[in-house]
Amino acid sequence: MSGALRPGARVLVVGGGIGGLTTGIALRKAGFEPLVLERHREPAEVGAGISLWPNAVHPLGALGLGDAVREVALEATGGALRRADGRVLARLPGPRISERFGAPVLFAHRADLVDLLRAALGADALRDATPIVDVAQDEEHATVTTAAGETLRGDVLVGADGVRSLVRERLWGDAPAAPSGAVAWRAVVPAGDELRELEGESWGRGVLFGAVPLRDDRIYWFAAAPGEEEHRADAAAERAALLARLAGWAPAAGSIVTRTAPERIIRTPLLERPVADPLASGRTFLLGDAAHPMLPNLGQGGCQAIEDAVELAAALAGEGGLPAAMRRYEAVRGRRVRMVVTRSRRAGRAGLVSSPGVAALRNAVVRATPEFATVRGIAPVVGHRAGAPPA
């Protein structure tokens, strides 16, 4: 295909999560005809929060969603990194981040953000309850086959279908996602007194716990620890097992877990998979967890998917047809997402240190690190503005 992709070219986006929806919005804004295909009848994940760092806030603003996002989110203004007993190791530099990078850190309920993105995309570009069972591509088109036996055809295909991506399995054929050896628990509960002692993140030995405020007097809490992929069938037993891991912690951690209904706690195995190489092939692009799943310790999974979305739309809108678009996408995303994946893995190791001596050293380093150095250290991750030329 020579020249730019024709105006109104049809792009099939498999996956209607944050990355897929943002991709649809960015593609429509760039003059394409997106169709986002979501397997579930309704958004599936309702019990979790998301942190939006400046590198995600800026592109959402460029899509015209800045004010709307702020209406469903809270700005991070406090919080700390603590020991398991509640002692503060360092205050989190929320105000300095906003000042340095031109946008705040925002906390939002995932369901609220997904609802916002769905409304911005529009119902005409979104099909719910449409599981995909196969995908293919040739010289002229990309196609998807639905569970109902329908075949849909487009000019371009985007795999935004998560860490167990069917698109990646069928067209890349590489190794599937594998357990990282850690699991996470998370839930959203009504606000309580615990936030005064928990806001931010606490590190123990082999366990981390965190909590942040959300709009409408809610708290999003999360925990992570080494563990197996399978979980207990009994939700109450699963909660009890988590409480046992938090024995000896500051009382607020156990309190907030205790008052969370067991069935509202989401337990997720943390999976890893190498960054897709290449990120685009034929007529197909991968983004988000389908392309580069990362551990959640930097809060960058959703943020990187948002970056992917705007960069993919920009790449397709340029001259040179699909080959040039793929080169542009690889140039701006490949090196960057590999860096963020690596840093996320390192942060995960630091938070889940189990050796008493190593944990004590880790805590001492955190206490001794000045705020300006912390901000400077995270600048390569959160200070990036999607759309800028690659470094």
Side-chain angles (χ1 to χ4, degrees):
M1 184 181 292
S2 61
L5 283 173
R6 60 181 172 80
R10 193 181 201 203
V11 183
L12 303 176
V13 181
V14 179
I18 289 169
L21 292 168
T22 307
T23 299
I25 295 166
L27 288 168
R28 175 165 272 183
K29 190 176 181 68
F32 299 107
E33 180 188 323
L35 179 60
V36 178
L37 306 167
E38 167 55 37
R39 66 178 291 108
H40 296 101
R41 189 168 300 277
E42 297 177 348
E45 192 173 40
V46 297
I50 184 172
S51 55
L52 297 171
W53 292 78
N55 58 299
V57 175
H58 283 300
L60 288 171
L63 293 175
L65 301 175
D67 291 341
V69 170
R70 283 172 170 80
E71 287 180 4
V72 303
L74 282 181
E75 181 174 344
T77 57
L81 186 59
R82 296 174 169 86
R83 301 193 321 187
D85 60 8
R87 179 180 174 182
V88 173
L89 297 173
R91 294 290 173 187
L92 298 180
R96 186 182 286 268
I97 288 174
S98 181
E99 177 183 309
R100 168 77 181 272
F101 304 116
V105 181
L106 301 175
F107 299 129
H109 195 300
R110 280 183 178 266
D112 294 339
L113 180 59
V114 166
D115 285 347
L116 183 160
L117 295 172
R118 287 167 65 90
L121 175 61
D124 60 320
L126 176 63
R127 285 183 53 174
D128 292 320
T130 308
I132 303 304
V133 296
D134 202 6
V135 298
Q137 59 183 350
D138 57 30
E139 290 295 323
E140 299 297 328
H141 298 99
T143 59
V144 303
T145 305
T146 72
E150 182 182 10
T151 297
L152 302 173
R153 178 178 291 179
D155 298 292
V156 177
L157 175 64
V158 177
D161 50 340
V163 65
R164 293 188 173 99
S165 169
L166 174 73
V167 176
R168 182 168 174 177
E169 174 191 329
R170 291 288 194 272
L171 300 181
W172 268 250
D174 56 3
S180 68
V183 296
W185 299 262
R186 51 212 167 111
V188 174
V189 297
D193 293 338
E194 300 99 341
L195 198 60
R196 289 178 298 183
E197 300 177 47
L198 291 177
E199 184 173 359
E201 194 165 291
S202 301
W203 288 352
R205 295 200 301 271
V207 185
L208 65 82
F209 192 93
V212 298
L214 302 177
R215 281 202 177 274
D216 300 324
D217 293 320
R218 295 173 293 177
I219 295 173
Y220 167 51
W221 67 259
F222 54 91
E228 300 301 322
E229 183 171 4
E230 296 301 321
H231 63 84
R232 295 166 180 82
D234 183 278
E238 183 65 46
R239 185 182 67 176
L242 175 58
L243 286 168
R245 291 178 181 266
L246 298 173
W249 280 54
S255 171
I256 199 170
V257 174
T258 298
R259 68 179 182 87
T260 304
E263 65 275 9
R264 298 189 67 85
I265 300 175
I266 300 171
R267 183 191 193 274
T268 308
L270 300 180
L271 304 179
E272 291 191 292
R273 191 176 196 176
V275 175
D277 185 17
L279 296 175
S281 177
R283 292 180 169 271
T284 303
F285 294 76
L286 297 176
L287 62 76
D289 283 349
H292 47 74
M294 58 189 65
L295 298 179
N297 302 86
L298 294 182
Q300 281 292 310
C303 297
Q304 291 302 309
I306 290 168
E307 285 189 24
D308 289 341
V310 297
E311 295 287 16
L312 190 155
L316 288 174
E319 292 292 329
L322 276 175
M326 291 178 172
R327 288 193 296 271
R328 283 191 290 269
Y329 186 63
E330 186 71 44
V332 298
R333 299 308 296 155
R335 180 180 176 187
R336 174 157 173 76
V337 296
R338 287 175 175 84
M339 178 270 290
V340 179
V341 165
T342 299
R343 287 189 173 218
S344 296
R345 187 179 298 117
R346 289 174 181 166
R349 293 195 189 108
L352 296 180
V353 163
S354 58
S355 163
V358 177
L361 177 61
R362 172 199 66 192
N363 294 347
V365 170
V366 171
R367 281 197 304 269
T369 303
E371 185 180 85
F372 77 86
T374 298
V375 174
R376 184 175 61 195
I378 63 174
V381 176
V382 308
H384 178 80
R385 293 208 185 197

